[in-house]
Amino acid sequence: MPTWDPARYLQFADDRSRPFVDLVGRVQGTPRSIVDLGCGPGHLTAVLRERWPHATVHGIDSSPEMIERALAGNRDDAATYELADVAAWAPDAPVDLMVSNALFQWVPDQLDVIERLTAHVAAEGTFALQVPRNYDSPSHTLLRDIAAEAPFAEATADVLADRGTEPTAYLELFAGLGWHVDLWETTYLHVLQGDDPVHDWVSGTGARPYVQALPDDLRESFVAAYRTALRGAYPRRPWGTVFPFRRTFVVARRPV
């Protein structure tokens, strides 16, 4: 896995946070214990705290850089953060709400991991997740196409493939467990500012594993080619650059 840059990730914090706010808005009940799977730099803890002021919040992330940032910025006595891989992690006690913002596309065998974690959700508790589903958009197809060309292909051949999952897979998983499922998709039309804003966005997430896989002498030419391609796919307007971004949302509630 790549290393992550919290500052780069937070460059578009408001736009990146919007799906989490929309996800949390559909969660019913008053959870007393919340686990944020893939909590990143901890900036979304405030969203959870505003909605449920009396809950404990425990953030999990596999990135040392992200957890370090979350711990450094933590001013919430009821919030804790832990460096752990969600694929192997389990809580010590049942959790009222497990929530995840744009994590599971990075997790191999994500459906198996999710099903394992559902066993740790309390009765009438909730598992809520949001994942990108824009892998067929130019931001990703161009990235893969350029990475597959010489002289980059050899170095990027082992980069983890996109892990987009059909929404029906989540529906079948939770419904098969007997849970009530609220599932939907939304395409956000982000209007970004700057010279190369789509590149700046993707460089903090999807493009990062490709760039880090390259040797130093190829990174500059790869980024230049990718920037140029993105400018053509996402033309800049006088008022900004439109970046459509489709996401899948699932809010599943466990029965009694």
Side-chain angles (χ1 to χ4, degrees), residues 29-44:
T30 307
R32 294 165 297 176
S33 57
I34 302 173
V35 170
D36 183 356
L37 302 168
C39 64
H43 62 300
L44 296 176

Side-chain angles (χ1 to χ4, degrees), residues 23-24 27 97-101 126-130 174 250-252:
L23 176 70
V24 167
V27 175
L97 170 61
M98 286 193 183
V99 63
S100 173
N101 188 58
T126 300
F127 199 116
L129 66 91
Q130 175 274 127
F174 286 106
V250 185
V251 177

Side-chain angles (χ1 to χ4, degrees), residues 65-215:
E65 297 83 6
M66 291 294 195
I67 289 296
E68 182 179 1
R69 178 67 174 263
L71 290 170
N74 187 21
R75 302 294 182 269
D76 187 335
D77 292 337
T80 54
Y81 300 96
E82 178 184 354
L83 179 66
D85 183 354
V86 69
W89 176 85
D92 296 328
V95 176
D96 294 326
L97 170 61
M98 286 193 183
V99 63
S100 173
N101 188 58
L103 165 70
F104 281 104
Q105 74 276 12
W106 297 106
V107 178
D109 303 317
Q110 60 164 297
L111 296 177
D112 292 338
V113 174
I114 293 170
E115 184 170 5
R116 179 183 64 79
L117 289 170
T118 61
H120 300 282
V121 175
E124 297 188 280
T126 300
F127 199 116
L129 66 91
Q130 175 274 127
V131 289
R133 205 163 91 85
N134 62 336
Y135 299 107
D136 57 354
S137 66
S139 58
H140 287 69
T141 59
L142 291 170
L143 178 64
R144 294 193 297 267
D145 290 347
I146 294 170
E149 297 174 353
F152 314 119
E154 183 176 354
T156 61
D158 293 331
V159 173
L160 287 175
D162 295 327
R163 302 191 183 278
T165 300
E166 289 294 322
T168 52
Y170 300 111
L171 177 60
E172 291 174 358
L173 169 61
F174 286 106
L177 294 171
W179 292 34
H180 175 269
V181 186
D182 181 10
L183 186 151
W184 71 99
E185 285 197 335
T186 296
T187 298
Y188 295 89
L189 298 181
H190 300 292
V191 179
L192 309 180
Q193 305 301 320
D195 294 333
D196 291 299
V198 176
H199 173 267
D200 291 345
W201 179 299
V202 183
S203 68
T205 52
R208 195 168 180 85
Y210 288 91
V211 174
Q212 291 193 341
L214 291 166

